[in-house]
Amino acid sequence: MHTSYSFGDVSVVFAHPAVGQYVATGAGLGSISVSMTTDRTTHDVAADGSVMVSKVLGRNGSLTITVQQTSELNKWLLKLYNYVEQAPTPEWANTRITIRSASMQDLIRVTGASFQKLPDRPYQAQGQQVSWVLMAADIDQAIA
């Protein structure tokens, strides 16, 4: 038995009500990493050794999207950043991101996404990749 994986099967849709959407299916895209921030459980241990388990409901986290610095995706993310930076405050975390991987049956829905900062800007003899980090209020991971 074997399994297969292809990054070419992964698609990412960025959407903001005022800026529109961008569908990325590989062109200029280097990598995507989804990280959850909140521990979903905590344990409190009493002096007698009894353990109280707490279920924590937080589904916040971050996404790191690495793109080629000359790509259309990088230009679109910069356009989105420039818009939300100047827009009224309610627009700041109004970005939604959907990641699908058909071969892995992944569906990740991100809401309340906001930019952590502008990516570092490399200038070298060869073109480079830049990393956009977006913080997310909610990350829902499901089977597609």
Side-chain angles (χ1 to χ4, degrees), residues 83-144:
Y83 172 79
V84 297
E85 183 181 47
Q86 299 298 319
T89 302
E91 298 285 321
W92 181 250
N94 219 2
T95 301
R96 295 178 323 279
I97 303 166
T98 304
I99 304 168
R100 284 182 171 40
S101 172
S103 63
M104 294 182 10
Q105 298 181 336
D106 279 351
L107 173 61
I108 299 173
R109 292 177 294 237
V110 175
T111 55
S114 58
F115 292 96
Q116 187 177 51
K117 67 178 186 78
L118 280 169
D120 297 338
R121 297 192 55 102
Y123 295 98
Q124 301 179 40
Q126 290 181 236
Q128 300 294 308
Q129 294 192 358
V130 295
S131 295
W132 289 89
V133 179
L134 291 103
M135 299 181 79
D138 187 72
I139 300 174
D140 176 37
Q141 299 185 37
I143 296 175

Short mmCIF file of all heavy atoms in Angstrom, two decimals, residues 83-144:
data_model
loop_
_atom_site.label_atom_id
_atom_site.label_comp_id
_atom_site.label_asym_id
_atom_site.label_seq_id
_atom_site.Cartn_x
_atom_site.Cartn_y
_atom_site.Cartn_z
N TYR A 83 -4.64 48.11 1.47
CA TYR A 83 -6.04 48.49 1.66
C TYR A 83 -6.42 48.46 3.14
O TYR A 83 -6.94 49.44 3.67
CB TYR A 83 -7.00 47.60 0.85
CG TYR A 83 -8.42 47.89 1.23
CD1 TYR A 83 -9.08 49.00 0.71
CD2 TYR A 83 -9.09 47.11 2.16
CE1 TYR A 83 -10.37 49.32 1.10
CE2 TYR A 83 -10.39 47.42 2.56
CZ TYR A 83 -11.01 48.53 2.03
OH TYR A 83 -12.28 48.85 2.43
N VAL A 84 -6.19 47.33 3.80
CA VAL A 84 -6.65 47.20 5.19
C VAL A 84 -5.90 48.13 6.13
O VAL A 84 -6.44 48.56 7.15
CB VAL A 84 -6.62 45.73 5.71
CG1 VAL A 84 -7.56 44.86 4.91
CG2 VAL A 84 -5.22 45.16 5.74
N GLU A 85 -4.67 48.48 5.79
CA GLU A 85 -3.91 49.41 6.63
C GLU A 85 -4.56 50.80 6.65
O GLU A 85 -4.56 51.47 7.68
CB GLU A 85 -2.46 49.50 6.15
CG GLU A 85 -1.61 50.39 7.03
CD GLU A 85 -0.20 50.51 6.54
OE1 GLU A 85 0.01 50.74 5.33
OE2 GLU A 85 0.71 50.38 7.38
N GLN A 86 -5.12 51.21 5.52
CA GLN A 86 -5.73 52.54 5.41
C GLN A 86 -7.24 52.54 5.69
O GLN A 86 -7.82 53.59 5.91
CB GLN A 86 -5.50 53.10 4.00
CG GLN A 86 -4.03 53.26 3.65
CD GLN A 86 -3.32 54.25 4.55
OE1 GLN A 86 -3.86 55.30 4.90
NE2 GLN A 86 -2.10 53.92 4.97
N ALA A 87 -7.85 51.37 5.67
CA ALA A 87 -9.30 51.25 5.82
C ALA A 87 -9.74 51.45 7.28
O ALA A 87 -8.91 51.39 8.20
CB ALA A 87 -9.75 49.87 5.32
N PRO A 88 -11.03 51.63 7.50
CA PRO A 88 -11.54 51.69 8.88
C PRO A 88 -11.20 50.40 9.64
O PRO A 88 -11.09 49.32 9.05
CB PRO A 88 -13.06 51.84 8.69
CG PRO A 88 -13.22 52.41 7.32
CD PRO A 88 -12.08 51.85 6.51
N THR A 89 -11.06 50.51 10.93
CA THR A 89 -10.63 49.40 11.77
C THR A 89 -11.42 48.11 11.57
O THR A 89 -10.81 47.03 11.54
CB THR A 89 -10.66 49.83 13.26
OG1 THR A 89 -9.79 50.97 13.41
CG2 THR A 89 -10.19 48.71 14.17
N PRO A 90 -12.75 48.13 11.39
CA PRO A 90 -13.47 46.86 11.20
C PRO A 90 -13.02 46.06 9.97
O PRO A 90 -13.26 44.86 9.89
CB PRO A 90 -14.94 47.30 11.06
CG PRO A 90 -15.00 48.60 11.79
CD PRO A 90 -13.67 49.26 11.54
N GLU A 91 -12.34 46.72 9.02
CA GLU A 91 -11.85 46.02 7.82
C GLU A 91 -10.58 45.22 8.09
O GLU A 91 -10.23 44.33 7.32
CB GLU A 91 -11.57 47.03 6.71
CG GLU A 91 -12.77 47.81 6.24
CD GLU A 91 -13.69 46.98 5.38
OE1 GLU A 91 -13.19 46.19 4.56
OE2 GLU A 91 -14.91 47.12 5.54
N TRP A 92 -9.85 45.55 9.17
CA TRP A 92 -8.52 44.98 9.42
C TRP A 92 -8.53 43.45 9.46
O TRP A 92 -7.66 42.81 8.86
CB TRP A 92 -7.94 45.56 10.71
CG TRP A 92 -6.57 45.03 11.01
CD1 TRP A 92 -6.23 44.18 12.02
CD2 TRP A 92 -5.35 45.30 10.31
NE1 TRP A 92 -4.89 43.90 11.98
CE2 TRP A 92 -4.32 44.59 10.93
CE3 TRP A 92 -5.03 46.08 9.20
CZ2 TRP A 92 -2.99 44.63 10.50
CZ3 TRP A 92 -3.71 46.12 8.76
CH2 TRP A 92 -2.71 45.40 9.42
N ALA A 93 -9.47 42.86 10.15
CA ALA A 93 -9.49 41.39 10.30
C ALA A 93 -10.69 40.79 9.56
O ALA A 93 -11.34 39.87 10.04
CB ALA A 93 -9.52 41.00 11.77
N ASN A 94 -10.95 41.29 8.37
CA ASN A 94 -12.11 40.86 7.60
C ASN A 94 -11.73 39.91 6.46
O ASN A 94 -12.52 39.66 5.57
CB ASN A 94 -12.83 42.09 7.04
CG ASN A 94 -14.32 41.94 7.08
OD1 ASN A 94 -14.85 40.95 7.56
ND2 ASN A 94 -15.02 42.93 6.56
N THR A 95 -10.53 39.39 6.48
CA THR A 95 -10.06 38.49 5.43
C THR A 95 -10.39 37.04 5.79
O THR A 95 -10.26 36.63 6.94
CB THR A 95 -8.54 38.63 5.22
OG1 THR A 95 -8.26 39.99 4.86
CG2 THR A 95 -8.01 37.70 4.16
N ARG A 96 -10.84 36.31 4.78
CA ARG A 96 -11.12 34.87 4.91
C ARG A 96 -10.17 34.12 3.98
O ARG A 96 -9.87 34.59 2.88
CB ARG A 96 -12.56 34.55 4.52
CG ARG A 96 -13.59 35.16 5.43
CD ARG A 96 -15.04 34.87 4.98
NE ARG A 96 -15.28 34.86 3.54
CZ ARG A 96 -15.46 35.94 2.78
NH1 ARG A 96 -15.42 37.13 3.32
NH2 ARG A 96 -15.70 35.83 1.50
N ILE A 97 -9.72 32.96 4.42
CA ILE A 97 -8.82 32.13 3.62
C ILE A 97 -9.34 30.71 3.65
O ILE A 97 -9.71 30.19 4.71
CB ILE A 97 -7.38 32.18 4.18
CG1 ILE A 97 -6.87 33.64 4.22
CG2 ILE A 97 -6.44 31.31 3.34
CD1 ILE A 97 -5.61 33.83 5.05
N THR A 98 -9.39 30.07 2.49
CA THR A 98 -9.80 28.67 2.40
C THR A 98 -8.69 27.89 1.73
O THR A 98 -8.22 28.27 0.65
CB THR A 98 -11.11 28.53 1.59
OG1 THR A 98 -12.11 29.35 2.19
CG2 THR A 98 -11.57 27.08 1.57
N ILE A 99 -8.27 26.81 2.38
CA ILE A 99 -7.22 25.94 1.83
C ILE A 99 -7.84 24.58 1.60
O ILE A 99 -8.45 24.01 2.50
CB ILE A 99 -6.03 25.82 2.80
CG1 ILE A 99 -5.46 27.20 3.14
CG2 ILE A 99 -4.95 24.90 2.22
CD1 ILE A 99 -4.49 27.20 4.30
N ARG A 100 -7.66 24.06 0.37
CA ARG A 100 -8.18 22.73 0.03
C ARG A 100 -7.05 21.87 -0.51
O ARG A 100 -6.24 22.34 -1.30
CB ARG A 100 -9.25 22.82 -1.03
CG ARG A 100 -10.59 23.30 -0.60
CD ARG A 100 -11.54 23.28 -1.80
NE ARG A 100 -12.94 23.49 -1.68
CZ ARG A 100 -13.60 24.33 -0.95
NH1 ARG A 100 -13.03 25.05 -0.17
NH2 ARG A 100 -14.90 24.47 -0.96
N SER A 101 -7.05 20.63 -0.11
CA SER A 101 -6.14 19.63 -0.69
C SER A 101 -6.98 18.39 -0.97
O SER A 101 -7.31 17.63 -0.06
CB SER A 101 -5.00 19.29 0.28
OG SER A 101 -4.26 18.20 -0.22
N ALA A 102 -7.32 18.20 -2.23
CA ALA A 102 -8.18 17.08 -2.61
C ALA A 102 -7.54 15.73 -2.29
O ALA A 102 -8.19 14.84 -1.76
CB ALA A 102 -8.50 17.16 -4.10
N SER A 103 -6.24 15.61 -2.55
CA SER A 103 -5.60 14.31 -2.32
C SER A 103 -5.53 13.94 -0.85
O SER A 103 -5.55 12.77 -0.50
CB SER A 103 -4.19 14.29 -2.93
OG SER A 103 -3.37 15.24 -2.30
N MET A 104 -5.46 14.94 0.03
CA MET A 104 -5.42 14.67 1.47
C MET A 104 -6.78 14.84 2.12
O MET A 104 -6.92 14.67 3.32
CB MET A 104 -4.39 15.57 2.15
CG MET A 104 -2.99 15.24 1.71
SD MET A 104 -1.66 16.19 2.46
CE MET A 104 -2.34 17.08 3.78
N GLN A 105 -7.77 15.24 1.35
CA GLN A 105 -9.13 15.49 1.82
C GLN A 105 -9.16 16.54 2.93
O GLN A 105 -9.96 16.46 3.85
CB GLN A 105 -9.81 14.20 2.27
CG GLN A 105 -9.97 13.19 1.17
CD GLN A 105 -10.67 11.93 1.63
OE1 GLN A 105 -10.67 11.58 2.81
NE2 GLN A 105 -11.27 11.23 0.69
N ASP A 106 -8.29 17.54 2.81
CA ASP A 106 -8.24 18.63 3.78
C ASP A 106 -9.09 19.80 3.33
O ASP A 106 -9.13 20.14 2.14
CB ASP A 106 -6.80 19.15 3.94
CG ASP A 106 -5.96 18.31 4.86
OD1 ASP A 106 -6.51 17.42 5.53
OD2 ASP A 106 -4.73 18.55 4.91
N LEU A 107 -9.74 20.42 4.28
CA LEU A 107 -10.45 21.66 4.08
C LEU A 107 -10.20 22.51 5.32
O LEU A 107 -10.60 22.15 6.43
CB LEU A 107 -11.96 21.44 3.88
CG LEU A 107 -12.82 22.70 3.82
CD1 LEU A 107 -12.40 23.59 2.67
CD2 LEU A 107 -14.28 22.33 3.75
N ILE A 108 -9.52 23.62 5.13
CA ILE A 108 -9.21 24.52 6.24
C ILE A 108 -9.85 25.87 5.93
O ILE A 108 -9.59 26.46 4.88
CB ILE A 108 -7.69 24.66 6.45
CG1 ILE A 108 -7.08 23.30 6.77
CG2 ILE A 108 -7.38 25.69 7.53
CD1 ILE A 108 -5.56 23.29 6.82
N ARG A 109 -10.71 26.32 6.85
CA ARG A 109 -11.38 27.61 6.69
C ARG A 109 -10.87 28.56 7.77
O ARG A 109 -10.95 28.24 8.96
CB ARG A 109 -12.89 27.44 6.80
CG ARG A 109 -13.48 26.66 5.62
CD ARG A 109 -14.95 26.45 5.82
NE ARG A 109 -15.17 25.58 6.97
CZ ARG A 109 -15.84 24.42 6.93
NH1 ARG A 109 -16.36 24.01 5.83
NH2 ARG A 109 -15.99 23.71 8.02
N VAL A 110 -10.37 29.69 7.33
CA VAL A 110 -9.80 30.68 8.23
C VAL A 110 -10.66 31.94 8.16
O VAL A 110 -10.94 32.44 7.08
CB VAL A 110 -8.35 31.01 7.81
CG1 VAL A 110 -7.78 32.13 8.66
CG2 VAL A 110 -7.48 29.77 7.87
N THR A 111 -11.06 32.44 9.32
CA THR A 111 -11.79 33.71 9.37
C THR A 111 -11.09 34.64 10.35
O THR A 111 -10.35 34.20 11.23
CB THR A 111 -13.25 33.50 9.80
OG1 THR A 111 -13.29 32.81 11.05
CG2 THR A 111 -14.03 32.71 8.75
N GLY A 112 -11.35 35.93 10.16
CA GLY A 112 -10.73 36.92 11.04
C GLY A 112 -9.24 37.01 10.85
O GLY A 112 -8.50 37.20 11.81
N ALA A 113 -8.77 36.89 9.61
CA ALA A 113 -7.32 36.93 9.36
C ALA A 113 -6.84 38.37 9.25
O ALA A 113 -7.50 39.22 8.67
CB ALA A 113 -6.99 36.17 8.08
N SER A 114 -5.68 38.61 9.84
CA SER A 114 -5.06 39.94 9.77
C SER A 114 -3.55 39.77 9.66
O SER A 114 -2.99 38.80 10.15
CB SER A 114 -5.42 40.77 11.01
OG SER A 114 -5.00 40.12 12.19
N PHE A 115 -2.92 40.71 9.00
CA PHE A 115 -1.49 40.64 8.77
C PHE A 115 -0.70 40.90 10.05
O PHE A 115 -0.97 41.87 10.75
CB PHE A 115 -1.07 41.68 7.72
CG PHE A 115 -1.59 41.37 6.35
CD1 PHE A 115 -2.75 41.97 5.89
CD2 PHE A 115 -0.93 40.48 5.52
CE1 PHE A 115 -3.24 41.71 4.63
CE2 PHE A 115 -1.41 40.21 4.25
CZ PHE A 115 -2.57 40.82 3.80
N GLN A 116 0.27 40.04 10.33
CA GLN A 116 1.14 40.27 11.47
C GLN A 116 2.06 41.46 11.19
O GLN A 116 2.27 42.31 12.04
CB GLN A 116 1.96 39.02 11.77
CG GLN A 116 2.76 39.11 13.03
CD GLN A 116 3.50 37.82 13.30
OE1 GLN A 116 4.20 37.31 12.43
NE2 GLN A 116 3.33 37.28 14.49
N LYS A 117 2.61 41.50 9.97
CA LYS A 117 3.47 42.60 9.53
C LYS A 117 3.75 42.40 8.05
O LYS A 117 3.41 41.38 7.48
CB LYS A 117 4.78 42.64 10.31
CG LYS A 117 5.70 41.46 10.05
CD LYS A 117 7.00 41.59 10.81
CE LYS A 117 8.00 40.52 10.46
NZ LYS A 117 8.69 40.73 9.20
N LEU A 118 4.35 43.40 7.44
CA LEU A 118 4.83 43.22 6.08
C LEU A 118 5.97 42.22 6.09
O LEU A 118 6.74 42.16 7.06
CB LEU A 118 5.34 44.54 5.50
CG LEU A 118 4.30 45.52 4.99
CD1 LEU A 118 4.93 46.88 4.70
CD2 LEU A 118 3.62 44.97 3.75
N PRO A 119 6.13 41.43 5.03
CA PRO A 119 7.26 40.49 5.01
C PRO A 119 8.59 41.22 4.83
O PRO A 119 8.62 42.36 4.33
CB PRO A 119 6.97 39.60 3.79
CG PRO A 119 6.10 40.42 2.92
CD PRO A 119 5.31 41.33 3.83
N ASP A 120 9.66 40.59 5.27
CA ASP A 120 10.99 41.13 5.00
C ASP A 120 11.19 41.15 3.49
O ASP A 120 10.68 40.29 2.78
CB ASP A 120 12.06 40.25 5.67
CG ASP A 120 11.93 40.25 7.18
OD1 ASP A 120 11.34 41.20 7.74
OD2 ASP A 120 12.43 39.30 7.81
N ARG A 121 11.95 42.13 3.00
CA ARG A 121 12.14 42.29 1.55
C ARG A 121 13.59 42.01 1.19
O ARG A 121 14.46 42.86 1.39
CB ARG A 121 11.74 43.68 1.13
CG ARG A 121 10.24 43.91 1.39
CD ARG A 121 9.72 45.14 0.75
NE ARG A 121 9.97 45.22 -0.65
CZ ARG A 121 9.06 44.97 -1.59
NH1 ARG A 121 7.86 44.57 -1.26
NH2 ARG A 121 9.37 45.12 -2.86
N PRO A 122 13.84 40.84 0.61
CA PRO A 122 15.22 40.52 0.22
C PRO A 122 15.55 41.09 -1.17
O PRO A 122 14.70 41.10 -2.06
CB PRO A 122 15.21 38.99 0.19
CG PRO A 122 13.81 38.65 -0.20
CD PRO A 122 12.95 39.70 0.42
N TYR A 123 16.76 41.56 -1.33
CA TYR A 123 17.28 41.97 -2.64
C TYR A 123 18.64 41.30 -2.79
O TYR A 123 19.56 41.59 -2.03
CB TYR A 123 17.41 43.49 -2.73
CG TYR A 123 16.08 44.20 -2.67
CD1 TYR A 123 15.62 44.75 -1.49
CD2 TYR A 123 15.28 44.29 -3.80
CE1 TYR A 123 14.38 45.39 -1.43
CE2 TYR A 123 14.04 44.93 -3.75
CZ TYR A 123 13.61 45.48 -2.57
OH TYR A 123 12.39 46.11 -2.52
N GLN A 124 18.72 40.38 -3.74
CA GLN A 124 19.95 39.62 -3.95
C GLN A 124 20.15 39.38 -5.45
O GLN A 124 19.32 39.77 -6.26
CB GLN A 124 19.87 38.27 -3.24
CG GLN A 124 19.65 38.37 -1.75
CD GLN A 124 19.56 37.00 -1.10
OE1 GLN A 124 20.30 36.10 -1.45
NE2 GLN A 124 18.65 36.85 -0.16
N ALA A 125 21.23 38.68 -5.79
CA ALA A 125 21.51 38.36 -7.19
C ALA A 125 20.40 37.48 -7.78
O ALA A 125 20.04 37.62 -8.94
CB ALA A 125 22.85 37.65 -7.32
N GLN A 126 19.85 36.59 -6.98
CA GLN A 126 18.76 35.71 -7.41
C GLN A 126 17.47 36.15 -6.75
O GLN A 126 17.48 36.62 -5.60
CB GLN A 126 19.03 34.27 -6.98
CG GLN A 126 20.15 33.60 -7.73
CD GLN A 126 20.31 32.17 -7.24
OE1 GLN A 126 21.38 31.81 -6.82
NE2 GLN A 126 19.26 31.38 -7.30
N GLY A 127 16.34 35.96 -7.45
CA GLY A 127 15.05 36.23 -6.86
C GLY A 127 14.84 35.34 -5.64
O GLY A 127 15.35 34.23 -5.57
N GLN A 128 14.06 35.81 -4.70
CA GLN A 128 13.84 35.09 -3.45
C GLN A 128 12.35 34.87 -3.20
O GLN A 128 11.50 35.32 -3.95
CB GLN A 128 14.44 35.89 -2.28
CG GLN A 128 15.92 36.15 -2.39
CD GLN A 128 16.72 34.88 -2.31
OE1 GLN A 128 16.57 34.10 -1.38
NE2 GLN A 128 17.59 34.67 -3.29
N GLN A 129 12.06 34.20 -2.09
CA GLN A 129 10.70 34.06 -1.62
C GLN A 129 10.52 34.94 -0.39
O GLN A 129 11.49 35.19 0.34
CB GLN A 129 10.39 32.61 -1.29
CG GLN A 129 10.41 31.73 -2.52
CD GLN A 129 9.82 30.36 -2.28
OE1 GLN A 129 9.42 30.02 -1.18
NE2 GLN A 129 9.77 29.56 -3.33
N VAL A 130 9.31 35.42 -0.20
CA VAL A 130 8.98 36.21 0.98
C VAL A 130 7.88 35.50 1.75
O VAL A 130 7.08 34.77 1.17
CB VAL A 130 8.56 37.66 0.63
CG1 VAL A 130 9.71 38.42 0.00
CG2 VAL A 130 7.34 37.67 -0.29
N SER A 131 7.85 35.69 3.05
CA SER A 131 6.87 35.01 3.90
C SER A 131 5.88 36.01 4.49
O SER A 131 6.27 36.94 5.20
CB SER A 131 7.57 34.27 5.04
OG SER A 131 8.36 33.22 4.52
N TRP A 132 4.62 35.80 4.16
CA TRP A 132 3.53 36.58 4.72
C TRP A 132 2.96 35.80 5.89
O TRP A 132 2.62 34.63 5.74
CB TRP A 132 2.43 36.78 3.69
CG TRP A 132 2.78 37.72 2.58
CD1 TRP A 132 3.39 37.40 1.40
CD2 TRP A 132 2.54 39.12 2.56
NE1 TRP A 132 3.53 38.52 0.64
CE2 TRP A 132 3.01 39.60 1.32
CE3 TRP A 132 1.96 40.01 3.45
CZ2 TRP A 132 2.93 40.94 0.96
CZ3 TRP A 132 1.88 41.35 3.08
CH2 TRP A 132 2.37 41.80 1.86
N VAL A 133 2.87 36.43 7.06
CA VAL A 133 2.28 35.79 8.23
C VAL A 133 0.97 36.50 8.54
O VAL A 133 0.94 37.72 8.70
CB VAL A 133 3.22 35.85 9.45
CG1 VAL A 133 2.57 35.19 10.66
CG2 VAL A 133 4.56 35.18 9.12
N LEU A 134 -0.09 35.71 8.59
CA LEU A 134 -1.40 36.24 8.95
C LEU A 134 -1.86 35.56 10.22
O LEU A 134 -1.76 34.33 10.34
CB LEU A 134 -2.42 35.99 7.84
CG LEU A 134 -2.17 36.80 6.57
CD1 LEU A 134 -1.54 35.93 5.51
CD2 LEU A 134 -3.45 37.41 6.09
N MET A 135 -2.32 36.34 11.16
CA MET A 135 -2.90 35.80 12.39
C MET A 135 -4.38 35.57 12.13
O MET A 135 -5.01 36.33 11.37
CB MET A 135 -2.65 36.74 13.55
CG MET A 135 -1.17 36.93 13.78
SD MET A 135 -0.81 38.01 15.16
CE MET A 135 -1.08 36.87 16.52
N ALA A 136 -4.95 34.53 12.72
CA ALA A 136 -6.33 34.16 12.45
C ALA A 136 -7.11 34.03 13.74
O ALA A 136 -6.66 33.39 14.69
CB ALA A 136 -6.37 32.84 11.69
N ALA A 137 -8.30 34.62 13.76
CA ALA A 137 -9.18 34.51 14.93
C ALA A 137 -9.77 33.11 15.05
O ALA A 137 -9.99 32.63 16.15
CB ALA A 137 -10.29 35.56 14.85
N ASP A 138 -10.00 32.45 13.90
CA ASP A 138 -10.59 31.11 13.93
C ASP A 138 -10.07 30.28 12.76
O ASP A 138 -10.07 30.74 11.62
CB ASP A 138 -12.12 31.20 13.84
CG ASP A 138 -12.79 29.84 14.03
OD1 ASP A 138 -12.79 29.34 15.18
OD2 ASP A 138 -13.25 29.26 13.04
N ILE A 139 -9.61 29.08 13.07
CA ILE A 139 -9.17 28.13 12.06
C ILE A 139 -9.96 26.85 12.26
O ILE A 139 -9.87 26.19 13.29
CB ILE A 139 -7.65 27.83 12.17
CG1 ILE A 139 -6.84 29.12 11.99
CG2 ILE A 139 -7.24 26.78 11.14
CD1 ILE A 139 -5.35 28.94 12.23
N ASP A 140 -10.75 26.53 11.25
CA ASP A 140 -11.59 25.34 11.28
C ASP A 140 -11.02 24.33 10.30
O ASP A 140 -10.90 24.60 9.11
CB ASP A 140 -13.03 25.72 10.88
CG ASP A 140 -13.94 24.51 10.79
OD1 ASP A 140 -13.80 23.58 11.61
OD2 ASP A 140 -14.79 24.49 9.87
N GLN A 141 -10.64 23.15 10.80
CA GLN A 141 -10.07 22.12 9.95
C GLN A 141 -11.06 20.98 9.85
O GLN A 141 -11.52 20.46 10.85
CB GLN A 141 -8.74 21.63 10.53
CG GLN A 141 -7.72 22.75 10.61
CD GLN A 141 -6.35 22.27 11.07
OE1 GLN A 141 -5.94 21.18 10.73
NE2 GLN A 141 -5.67 23.09 11.83
N ALA A 142 -11.38 20.59 8.62
CA ALA A 142 -12.38 19.56 8.39
C ALA A 142 -11.88 18.63 7.29
O ALA A 142 -10.89 18.88 6.63
CB ALA A 142 -13.70 20.19 7.99
N ILE A 143 -12.62 17.57 7.09
CA ILE A 143 -12.36 16.65 5.98
C ILE A 143 -13.25 17.09 4.83
O ILE A 143 -14.46 17.24 4.98
CB ILE A 143 -12.65 15.19 6.39
CG1 ILE A 143 -11.70 14.77 7.50
CG2 ILE A 143 -12.55 14.27 5.18
CD1 ILE A 143 -11.97 13.41 8.05
N ALA A 144 -12.62 17.30 3.68
CA ALA A 144 -13.38 17.78 2.50
C ALA A 144 -14.16 16.65 1.87
O ALA A 144 -13.81 15.53 1.89
CB ALA A 144 -12.42 18.39 1.49
#
